Amino acid sequence: MEYAIIFIAAIFVNNIVLSQFLGICPFLGVSKKIDTALGMGMAVTFVLTISTIVTFLLQKYLLDAFGLGYLQTIVFILIIAALVQMVEIILKKVSPTLYQALGVFLPLITTNCAILGVAILVIQKEYNLAQSIVFAIATAIGFALALIIFAGIREQLERSNVPAAMKGVPIALITAGLLAMAFMGFSGIV
């Protein structure tokens, strides 16, 4: 039951983008088309899960063991950047088609603060490894869900008659705010 609560809360109640405001740059920048939003969502899910596992293990068995907790942020940033580069190299060799599909999004993930935020949150919440993995996967699904919904709304807005002063970023920000308010409706679930 505990894992189900973590899962549902991370997707809907504490959505990383709409509730905690992490990952806003890719949320606004990559959400113009559903296809790109879907690709970014898949890439974030993959990298977020792997980076959370690696950073959790590093925190518990290296940083905490040797009293180096003050290096957490720097180590996590370096690990995330290295993991993204490694994933990019491996995908290029093993699966060129998947690399083509995610290639544009992988470098963007390096600077996605949601990845670092989740890595730090699992340590702050004192989750064990299994809880951390569930939280990372659910957070990535929540990020992808918000991104895809937002992209769908933005595609519709492109075809709508929006006043000239509201086109582009202004209507996108208003829509993001309304979407965040809609997700607040889930706060009574968990």
Side-chain angles (χ1 to χ4, degrees), residues 63-86:
L63 298 178
D64 288 349
F66 293 105
L68 300 171
Y70 60 91
L71 293 173
Q72 180 188 57
T73 304
I74 294 169
V75 169
F76 283 13
I77 289 170
L78 292 173
I79 293 301
I80 290 166
L83 279 172
V84 170
Q85 288 299 313
M86 191 171 58

Side-chain angles (χ1 to χ4, degrees), residues 24-99:
I24 295 291
C25 295
F27 180 70
L28 292 173
V30 186
S31 61
K32 292 182 181 173
K33 295 188 182 222
I34 292 177
D35 296 341
T36 57
L38 187 60
M40 183 63 158
M42 289 187 330
V44 165
T45 302
F46 184 69
V47 172
L48 185 60
T49 305
I50 291 173
S51 66
T52 300
I53 293 168
V54 172
T55 55
F56 177 87
L57 294 173
L58 273 172
Q59 178 74 34
K60 293 298 179 193
Y61 297 110
L62 182 68
L63 298 178
D64 288 349
F66 293 105
L68 300 171
Y70 60 91
L71 293 173
Q72 180 188 57
T73 304
I74 294 169
V75 169
F76 283 13
I77 289 170
L78 292 173
I79 293 301
I80 290 166
L83 279 172
V84 170
Q85 288 299 313
M86 191 171 58
V87 166
E88 194 171 356
I89 291 168
I90 291 170
L91 281 178
K92 197 174 193 177
K93 297 275 185 195
V94 174
S95 177
T97 55
L98 185 59
Y99 174 76

